[in-house]
Amino acid sequence: SPEFGLVAYICVGAMMVGSIVLTVKEGAHVTRMDECGYFAFGGSTVILLFEHGAIEFDKDLVDNSRKSIETLVRVGASVGITEK
């Protein structure tokens, strides 16, 4: 995106996840709240990787990460901002 640059979206299936179904194609442009896919049978997580310096993470994420505390992030919640 113009604001965040390249972003890697990685789906991680937890134990007992039947499958991960991606509903967008590699390289597709997605916007906030677009469906990217879903986990069939069970819950899991996604990992977002940003280019260095592209995002300033929210304070609660940074503070909790320093303390090795997991932070629940719900769909549509903020994880950070960009100056671009």
Side-chain angles (χ1 to χ4, degrees), residues 9-11 19-26 35-39:
Y9 178 89
I10 303 163
C11 299
S19 63
I20 300 170
V21 181
L22 298 177
T23 56
V24 294
K25 301 289 184 207
E26 180 179 339
E35 178 185 286
C36 294
Y38 55 91
F39 298 102

Side-chain angles (χ1 to χ4, degrees), residues 1-4 9 24 28-36 75-76:
S1 74
E3 296 83 19
F4 293 102
Y9 178 89
V24 294
H29 177 78
V30 294
T31 58
R32 185 172 186 219
M33 302 302 291
D34 284 353
E35 178 185 286
C36 294
V75 173

Side-chain angles (χ1 to χ4, degrees), residues 1-63:
S1 74
E3 296 83 19
F4 293 102
L6 293 176
V7 178
Y9 178 89
I10 303 163
C11 299
V12 180
M15 183 182 282
M16 302 302 292
V17 170
S19 63
I20 300 170
V21 181
L22 298 177
T23 56
V24 294
K25 301 289 184 207
E26 180 179 339
H29 177 78
V30 294
T31 58
R32 185 172 186 219
M33 302 302 291
D34 284 353
E35 178 185 286
C36 294
Y38 55 91
F39 298 102
F41 184 72
S44 290
T45 192
V46 295
I47 299 170
L48 298 174
L49 299 178
F50 297 90
E51 294 181 75
H52 181 73
I55 186 170
E56 180 181 331
F57 288 100
D58 290 342
K59 184 178 182 325
D60 63 328
L61 294 177
V62 174
D63 290 346

